[in-house]
Amino acid sequence: MMRDFIAIAAACATVCVSVTAADAQQNEFPMAAPAGVDSKAREIAPAGAVNQGPFNMNTWKYGNAFTPPPGTKVWNPAKIKLLSGGKLVGGTVSSGIDPTTYCAMANAGYDFIWTEMQHANNTWDQVGKAWRTCPNAKAVPGARVPYADEFQIQHALDAGALVVVVPTIDTVEEAIAARDWTYFPPLGKRSLGGGFAFDPNMWGNVPGGYRNTINDNVVLILMIETLEGLKNADEIAKVPGVHAIFAASSDLGNFAGYKQGDPDYEREINIVHDAAIKAGVKLCGPWAWKNRPDFTCFQAGNEMAAIARGVKIELGEFADTQAKPEIGPFAARGR
């Protein structure tokens, strides 16, 4: 009898433990589908759900889980300056992303750093580490990505970019793709993947939180460079989420066969100008156009040009006064 009693008690304990574990699991996920059972979630919404009736992605009402707290202000100084009508100037970093060089450029007086990824052999790992070295520099990090691509744009943003420049936008579809990968839902399709941008030493501790506020703080600039881009410039500029269009001074000549000052070239630039004015977005160009009517954002020279200019200013009359040997390798330079 005693053995039977002990066996029954042990079995009861096993069952009780199993039930307790099941209850705990159920309490952890109270609305989870029962194991092995079709919950009919596609046809029937849970009680209290905002989206009732059969699931329909086209009528889905986006929730407020990522809405910025009431009264949250824009914290990106580049966006504040651009939207307030100030002249936004980006300094270019192109020849390798050495953190010391990047930080020197970022503290030199520019509004943002145009990190070159279209025509330079930099990697996003290099770029992210450079940006992270001096996240609170005067200039915010930005990048010209190679093209309107999910990989490139999301890597730029996850690394911490606050200004995204996308080149060679020829069609509205490309403009929408650039917008989609720049913004989190509901405006875009950016994936929530983490990265340096979420680090507390970068933007992880911004007021309102990075995920909830970055859509209001990122700046998106699209470049018009080709005849096809000119054809579609009016509609490209109207894509929601685009803040500025850039009249690509070099490539609008390259793709059309004219140079600045030629009537055909000037017509190209004016087409981009008119598209920006009609769409109510900002107009960008090279720093040499800082006095051209309606242009308010610019790409300045790169780090090599900045070093050369700075040294000439620093040395003044002593610049380029090197001795000129009559013999040897330095004499052959014709100095």
Side-chain angles (χ1 to χ4, degrees):
M1 286 291 293
M2 181 59 68
R3 285 198 301 270
D4 292 340
F5 177 79
I6 293 173
I8 292 171
C12 179
T14 302
V15 170
C16 291
V17 169
S18 299
V19 170
T20 301
D23 288 345
Q25 183 177 17
Q26 184 62 33
N27 289 336
E28 184 180 358
F29 304 103
M31 288 188 285
V37 176
D38 184 349
S39 69
K40 308 298 183 184
R42 185 173 293 277
E43 293 79 28
I44 303 171
V50 172
N51 294 277
Q52 291 292 321
F55 171 77
N56 187 333
M57 62 172 286
N58 296 317
T59 61
W60 187 266
K61 298 179 179 67
Y62 193 77
N64 60 7
F66 300 104
T67 301
T72 302
K73 296 181 179 180
V74 174
W75 47 264
N76 178 1
K79 188 161 190 178
I80 293 171
K81 187 174 185 181
L82 179 71
L83 297 185
S84 66
K87 295 202 171 185
L88 188 73
V89 185
T92 307
V93 173
S94 59
S95 61
I97 305 297
D98 171 71
T100 302
T101 302
Y102 170 80
C103 291
M105 286 288 285
N107 281 305
Y110 301 106
D111 297 305
F112 73 98
I113 296 301
W114 174 306
T115 306
E116 182 55 51
M117 299 298 286
Q118 182 188 16
H119 293 296
N121 294 320
N122 303 313
T123 68
W124 287 116
D125 182 59
Q126 293 173 317
V127 170
K129 289 176 180 177
W131 290 353
R132 197 183 187 197
T133 302
C134 51
N136 298 315
K138 297 174 184 177
V140 304
R144 174 163 67 176
V145 298
Y147 48 93
D149 173 74
E150 177 180 5
F151 174 93
Q152 300 294 341
I153 294 175
Q154 291 196 150
H155 271 66
L157 291 162
D158 287 348
L162 297 181
V163 178
V164 176
V165 182
V166 187
T168 323
I169 298 295
D170 291 334
T171 65
V172 173
E173 290 74 19
E174 289 176 346
I176 291 172
R179 186 276 311 281
D180 282 350
W181 304 128
T182 298
Y183 291 93
F184 283 121
L187 180 57
K189 298 178 180 178
R190 181 184 171 191
S191 173
L192 189 57
F196 288 157
F198 294 82
D199 192 306
N201 293 318
M202 289 197 76
W203 322 131
N205 285 332
V206 296
Y210 175 78
R211 167 61 182 87
N212 293 43
T213 64
I214 188 58
N215 277 9
D216 293 331
N217 283 275
V218 70
V219 174
L220 177 60
I221 301 171
L222 305 184
M223 300 187 71
I224 306 296
E225 309 194 43
T226 67
L227 297 179
E228 186 177 5
L230 291 174
K231 171 189 172 184
N232 298 310
D234 286 0
E235 297 307 314
I236 289 170
K238 293 176 183 177
V239 171
V242 174
H243 299 109
I245 54 175
F246 192 108
S249 55
S250 296
D251 266 325
L252 280 172
N254 176 49
F255 283 101
Y258 297 94
K259 64 182 185 300
Q260 184 169 329
D262 292 339
D264 295 87
Y265 179 92
E266 298 302 328
R267 183 183 186 184
E268 292 182 276
I269 305 305
N270 287 340
I271 288 173
V272 181
H273 166 276
D274 296 348
I277 297 302
K278 286 183 282 189
V281 299
K282 304 301 181 181
L283 184 60
C284 304
W287 176 239
W289 293 357
K290 59 184 179 294
N291 295 322
R292 191 169 181 132
D294 293 322
F295 279 77
T296 59
C297 74
F298 308 94
Q299 180 193 17
N302 62 26
E303 67 271 34
M304 289 84 77
I307 290 170
R309 289 193 303 269
V311 170
K312 288 186 181 296
I313 292 172
E314 181 181 31
L315 296 184
E317 62 180 304
F318 296 103
D320 294 319
T321 59
Q322 298 90 348
K324 299 176 176 58
E326 294 181 5
I327 60 173
F330 295 98
R333 295 185 180 184
R335 297 170 8 162

